[in-house]
Amino acid sequence: MKTITTTQELAAFCAEAATFPYVTVDTEFLRERTYYSKLCLVQLAMPGKTDETAVLVDPLAEGLSLDPLLDLFRNPDVVKVFHAARQDLEIFFVDNGVIPHPMFDTQIAAMVCGFGEQVGYETLVKRIAKASLDKSSRFTDWSRRPLTEAQAKYALADVTHLRVIYEYLAKELERTGRARWVAEEVAVLMDPETYVTHPREAWLRVKTRSNSSRFLAIVRELAAFREDYAQSRNIPRSRVYKDDALVELASTKPANMEDLGRSRLLLREARKGAIAEGILEAVKAGQECPKDQLPEVDTSRDQLQVNPALADLLRVLLKAKTEESGVASRLIAPAADLDAIAAGMRDVAALNGWRREVFGEDALRLCDGRIALTAKGSTVKVIEL
């Protein structure tokens, strides 16, 4: 198992990799104690059947530059193959401003090819590569050096078996004509905006039970301060304060340090210093926010008049289409989309792109009364009316 620790070695490997149609990629990282992921290891493999064409790259090695790898990521003639790529891509984008292109995600491809919902790598290794994985090193500290032999073996397996999986799925997509479907999904992963966190929008991820604009204005300010603070110090947002404490603060509206001291959920470190001052300023800003700048919550879906019978029929149709196409149902249309369609909404993902071909077109025809469903045993069929 070769470990690359110099820029020269990395450049030599990437130059050779550039002569092949694809390279498999994986990473190991830590994020428990930081806001941004800390890249600890990069695994790469060129096409082949042995471990000799696979390497471990140590980004923590003194003096090593990832520039040769970034150039390979930009090479339009080499497909970069990942499994469940989102976190890997986020690391390279945040650290280096680069998103590998072109890119292939075997998890997405597997969902399109009939392997179920968000299928794991281990499952694909068993079902396609006919091998097994030793997962004992999965939750180890990847920043510690030297790596153990078990860690290195585990890490390398994440890219060696990936070659077999990729080649199988690529052929299956070519056979079924579904490569474009995967490309549509991958396009979202390759959009830089996917990995940009805007502090002023962080409040949208906080679950609350109130739609009061004034309350939400305070939530917005508290969430924005937390995001800015966590980003600037590279610490997890939960280390500043958790969501439940944020909602409590928005409800109690502390005006001074004494008020903060009465909080039941606020961490001790947040009751003093810069965090405490930031909380008080955020609460004040939310309370003083001009009416025309108060946040508005989209409650259109909450107010939808869903036809329950039609929603049930759409679920039956989705199940039939899932069985017919082999595509994971959640990838085609989540339950919220079905309810939205049953309520008359048409601006939903299930009615666009490849999803429209698989499900959306017949869903609209069902809503318009142009088709019906019939069941015989466990089989559901579409009948033209």
Side-chain angles (χ1 to χ4, degrees):
M1 292 178 283
K2 179 176 177 56
T3 300
I4 289 177
T5 58
T6 69
T7 307
Q8 185 178 2
E9 290 175 312
L10 180 59
F13 177 88
C14 290
E16 184 178 359
T19 66
F20 289 94
Y22 74 85
V23 60
T24 55
V25 189
D26 191 39
T27 67
E28 304 299 341
F29 55 88
L30 294 179
R31 198 172 191 169
E32 289 79 7
R33 297 184 294 273
T34 58
Y35 183 92
Y36 299 106
S37 296
K38 178 183 179 180
L39 182 63
C40 298
L41 195 68
V42 181
Q43 304 97 280
L44 303 166
M46 294 179 283
K49 298 185 182 299
T50 69
D51 291 350
E52 294 178 3
T53 55
V55 295
L56 305 178
V57 180
D58 187 356
L60 303 182
E62 186 176 353
L64 183 141
S65 169
L66 291 179
D67 285 349
L69 178 60
L70 302 179
D71 288 340
L72 181 63
F73 283 170
R74 297 185 187 99
N75 189 326
D77 299 322
V78 182
V79 178
K80 275 63 71 171
V81 181
F82 295 81
H83 180 82
R86 185 180 180 118
Q87 286 187 298
D88 301 312
L89 299 186
E90 181 182 19
I91 291 172
F92 292 118
F93 177 74
V94 170
D95 289 354
N96 309 105
V98 173
I99 295 178
H101 176 81
M103 192 272 290
F104 187 96
D105 190 319
T106 56
Q107 184 178 70
I108 293 174
M111 292 172 73
V112 169
C113 291
F115 285 86
E117 308 278 355
Q118 293 185 316
V119 60
Y121 181 65
E122 186 176 10
T123 299
L124 295 182
V125 170
K126 288 180 179 178
R127 295 177 61 179
I128 296 177
K130 309 301 181 186
S132 59
L133 294 176
D134 178 5
K135 306 295 284 186
S136 60
S137 297
R138 183 177 182 182
F139 297 109
T140 58
D141 184 350
W142 291 100
S143 66
R144 297 188 64 178
R145 296 294 184 269
L147 296 175
T148 66
E149 184 176 350
Q151 283 179 307
K153 185 177 180 180
Y154 165 85
L156 209 64
D158 279 348
V159 287
T160 52
H161 296 309
L162 194 55
R163 299 175 297 194
V164 179
I165 294 169
Y166 165 67
E167 292 178 5
Y168 174 89
L169 291 174
K171 288 179 181 178
E172 187 66 10
L173 291 172
E174 182 179 0
R175 182 186 69 80
T176 58
R178 296 178 178 180
R180 177 174 55 83
W181 300 5
V182 174
E184 285 184 30
E185 300 304 302
V186 167
V188 177
L189 294 176
M190 297 182 65
D191 182 356
E193 192 62 28
T194 300
Y195 309 103
V196 176
T197 300
H198 301 285
R200 297 296 295 176
E201 297 176 3
W203 70 279
L204 296 170
R205 298 192 302 269
V206 180
K207 294 182 179 180
T208 68
R209 294 182 179 179
S210 172
N211 287 330
S212 162
S213 295
R214 183 62 61 187
F215 173 82
L216 293 176
I218 301 174
V219 170
R220 180 177 63 187
E221 298 299 329
L222 286 167
F225 164 72
R226 179 177 67 174
E227 208 72 22
D228 277 327
Y229 190 92
Q231 287 181 356
S232 65
R233 290 161 176 78
N234 195 22
I235 60 173
R237 58 177 66 89
S238 62
R239 284 266 303 277
V240 186
Y241 40 81
K242 297 181 180 180
D243 281 3
D244 56 356
L246 188 156
V247 173
E248 179 194 47
L249 292 168
S251 299
T252 58
K253 307 177 187 61
N256 51 51
M257 294 292 184
E258 185 178 349
D259 290 343
L260 279 183
R262 299 190 185 98
S263 171
R264 295 181 301 107
L265 302 174
L266 201 60
L267 297 172
R268 181 179 300 175
E269 294 79 5
R271 299 168 188 258
K272 57 185 177 180
I275 297 179
E277 292 173 2
I279 290 173
L280 297 177
E281 289 176 8
V283 171
K284 182 179 179 183
Q287 289 179 303
E288 297 178 353
C289 178
K291 287 186 177 181
D292 61 349
Q293 296 177 25
L294 291 173
E296 295 183 6
V297 178
D298 182 5
T299 59
S300 58
R301 288 211 172 194
D302 296 336
Q303 299 170 0
L304 290 178
Q305 299 298 313
V306 177
N307 181 330
L310 181 55
D312 287 342
L313 285 174
L314 286 169
R315 285 170 171 78
V316 174
L317 176 64
L318 177 61
K319 186 175 187 300
K321 293 297 183 179
T322 296
E323 293 175 352
E324 177 185 312
S325 65
V327 181
S329 62
R330 189 163 60 175
L331 186 63
I332 298 174
D337 276 11
L338 299 181
D339 288 340
I341 295 170
M345 289 186 68
R346 297 297 178 258
D347 184 20
V348 295
L351 300 180
N352 294 297
W354 67 267
R355 292 175 173 84
R356 188 181 183 101
E357 299 174 33
V358 176
F359 169 74
E361 196 62 48
D362 275 345
L364 291 174
R365 295 168 70 208
L366 182 65
C367 292
D368 294 340
R370 288 181 285 148
I371 62 172
L373 303 177
T374 182
K376 185 176 182 180
S378 60
T379 303
V380 175
K381 291 185 178 182
V382 173
I383 298 177
E384 301 286 341
L385 295 178

